Amino acid sequence: MSRIPVYFMPGLAASSSIFERIDLSSDLFEVHLLDWILPKTKESLVDYAKRMAEKVADKEAVLIGVSFGGVLVQEMKQFLNPKKVIIVSSVRSNTQLPRRMKIAKTTKAYKLIPTGLMQDVEVLTKYAFGDVLKKKLKLYEKYLHMRNKEYLDWAIEQMICWERVKIDAAIIHIHGDADEVFPAKNIKDFINIKGGTHMMILNRFRWFNSNLPKIILEQEL
């Protein structure tokens, strides 16, 4: 039996190291980790997705994307013939975006986000107040590798201004009911991870290690 190629795409600005705890059997699966590349000037999300799709050697692979990476793999689908597309902590259309993002799109408030600060996350960590904030910044320091301001400005705009309205029923959606970025109340028809937050790919990895193989192989959970 040939192994199933599985391509993982991390969330906005994150590196593929967020998947370091995901362990799929090497007897059944051939795991590939994708990372963000710099967008071209004024590049559309669709054109960017086409370039990323070129990095997928097997057009019938399984695509798994987290957060904005989930948005990207949905756009990559049109350039491939994937066996499955699975999104985690993400949305399947712009109708599922939270109200604050919809307002940000209308007012263009997202253009005011000081993305340049992300380049100095180590400095921010030193001046953070409170253990919780320091812990979060340490996570950012470890997992957020794409801190280029041009990329961040582009990615935030593409996420907030995503044009997809119609939901692709074939997309498999795994979501936590405690997701603070994309609240579950705005989303329907998903595999619910009770208590799962937006970071659950990191802290609920045991669930993924147990259930992803079943989802990919279409077995009962």
Side-chain angles (χ1 to χ4, degrees):
M1 177 182 170
S2 58
R3 296 186 298 164
I4 299 172
V6 182
Y7 285 75
F8 285 90
M9 188 73 217
L12 194 151
S15 80
S16 56
S17 61
I18 67 166
F19 302 113
E20 62 187 7
R21 295 175 181 173
I22 302 301
D23 185 18
L24 300 183
S25 168
S26 57
D27 292 334
L28 296 173
F29 306 104
E30 183 183 295
V31 172
H32 302 268
L33 302 177
L34 296 171
D35 275 301
W36 294 100
I37 56 177
L38 285 176
K40 295 177 181 177
T41 304
K42 295 185 178 179
E43 185 170 25
S44 70
L45 182 60
V46 171
D47 286 343
Y48 186 94
K50 185 176 183 180
R51 286 204 293 142
M52 287 300 295
E54 292 169 0
K55 297 179 178 297
V56 179
D58 189 324
K59 290 188 180 298
E60 296 186 358
V62 172
L63 304 178
I64 300 178
V66 173
S67 193
F68 181 49
V71 168
L72 180 64
V73 295
Q74 289 176 79
E75 295 299 332
M76 289 168 63
K77 183 184 178 188
Q78 63 192 293
F79 302 109
L80 302 164
N81 184 32
K83 189 182 292 289
K84 272 189 179 66
V85 176
I86 301 168
I87 65 171
V88 178
S89 306
S90 190
V91 290
R92 287 189 291 163
S93 83
N94 61 17
T95 62
Q96 297 182 335
L97 291 174
R99 187 166 174 267
R100 67 180 181 278
M101 288 191 183
K102 291 176 181 177
I103 291 172
K105 177 182 178 180
T106 303
T107 62
K108 298 195 183 305
Y110 60 87
K111 291 182 178 290
L112 302 177
I113 297 171
T115 49
L117 290 176
M118 292 297 295
Q119 296 171 73
D120 298 313
V121 71
E122 293 88 351
V123 175
L124 288 175
T125 303
K126 291 175 187 173
Y127 294 101
F129 294 99
D131 291 338
V132 174
L133 183 55
K134 282 185 178 179
K135 189 176 180 182
K136 281 191 174 181
L137 285 172
K138 278 293 183 186
L139 277 176
Y140 288 145
E141 191 176 346
K142 180 176 181 182
Y143 294 113
L144 295 193
H145 287 196
M146 182 62 95
R147 300 180 200 161
N148 176 280
K149 180 172 170 33
E150 285 71 27
Y151 162 81
L152 291 168
D153 289 342
W154 173 86
I156 290 168
E157 181 171 21
Q158 299 307 316
M159 181 69 253
I160 289 175
C161 299
W162 191 32
E163 294 180 350
R164 183 181 294 269
V165 176
K166 188 176 179 182
I167 289 174
D168 182 345
I171 303 296
I172 298 168
H173 192 171
I174 304 172
H175 208 79
D177 59 15
D179 193 302
E180 64 281 14
V181 176
F182 301 121
K185 68 181 181 181
N186 300 322
I187 298 168
K188 295 179 181 177
D189 303 322
F190 61 92
I191 298 170
N192 183 27
I193 310 300
K194 200 159 181 139
T197 66
H198 199 65
M199 302 281 284
M200 66 183 184
I201 196 69
L202 289 171
N203 53 34
R204 299 295 289 274
F205 64 91
R206 290 184 183 86
W207 185 94
F208 287 96
N209 288 340
S210 175
N211 291 286
L212 267 183
K214 300 174 191 174
I215 294 169
I216 294 171
L217 298 170
E218 293 186 322
Q219 296 173 352
E220 290 294 322
L221 291 184

